Amino acid sequence: MSIHLTIMGRVDTTSPPIKLPLAAGEVRTGFPSPADDYLEGELNLVEHLIKHPSATYFLRAKGTSMEGVGIYDGDLLIVDRSVEPKPGHIVIMSVDGELTCKRYSIMGSRHYLFAANPEFRPIPLEGRECQLWGVVTHNIHALAPGFTV
């Protein structure tokens, strides 16, 4: 299927929230601007990234089939089982017993999974044993060399 997934675990709803500083203002990705010298408040990443803790789990992605949407080998995916998949959503699905991460699509009356890498063919779902494992809501991707998520 081209991308392998490792289940990392579920959200721990019993641990106390960890609040991290949230800088006020925005950071420009174009021309530099003067930095704001104050904090806006605190941000609880679990509260911000996870809407349904009891239905959410983490997976580690492995492979290159979803690089076109920014999911790279080793990235940590946040998956919500309570979200109803719609065309265009990135989903985790078991197809014929193998887990895969792909973009869900409907063409005519047929359902497909599409990779975000042109080297991989679409996967027609008709006539296959399929089980939805959830919708990928966020991707945590390390940018600094030597850092992993």
Side-chain angles (χ1 to χ4, degrees):
M1 286 281 157
S2 68
I3 192 168
H4 301 281
L5 303 166
T6 303
I7 298 173
M8 300 300 294
R10 298 188 57 139
V11 177
D12 182 359
T13 57
T14 62
S15 66
I18 299 170
K19 297 192 179 201
L20 303 172
L22 173 63
E26 299 170 333
V27 63
R28 304 223 183 263
T29 58
F31 293 104
S33 67
D36 294 328
D37 59 354
Y38 60 91
L39 295 178
E40 181 178 311
E42 293 180 328
L43 174 68
N44 177 341
L45 283 176
V46 170
E47 187 177 279
H48 182 73
L49 297 175
I50 299 170
K51 302 297 182 209
H52 309 106
S54 63
T56 300
Y57 64 96
F58 302 96
L59 281 175
R60 176 109 27 222
K62 179 138 183 72
T64 61
S65 72
M66 296 304 287
E67 287 183 348
V69 293
I71 298 175
Y72 296 95
D73 188 56
D75 283 358
L76 188 64
L77 307 178
I78 301 175
V79 183
D80 190 330
R81 296 178 324 160
S82 70
V83 175
E84 184 69 31
K86 295 185 172 129
H89 280 168
I90 307 290
V91 298
I92 304 299
M93 187 171 286
S94 173
V95 180
D96 295 332
E98 188 176 339
L99 278 184
T100 191
C101 175
K102 299 286 184 282
R103 185 181 303 277
Y104 174 65
S105 182
I106 300 173
M107 295 174 62
S109 62
R110 296 178 185 232
H111 298 255
Y112 291 86
L113 296 179
F114 283 89
N117 180 332
E119 295 179 19
F120 298 90
R121 298 178 138 198
I123 301 168
L125 299 180
E126 188 175 331
R128 294 189 147 154
E129 183 181 324
C130 301
Q131 182 181 16
L132 178 71
W133 279 46
V135 172
V136 177
T137 58
H138 294 86
N139 175 28
I140 302 173
H141 175 78
L143 296 176
F147 282 82
T148 58
V149 288

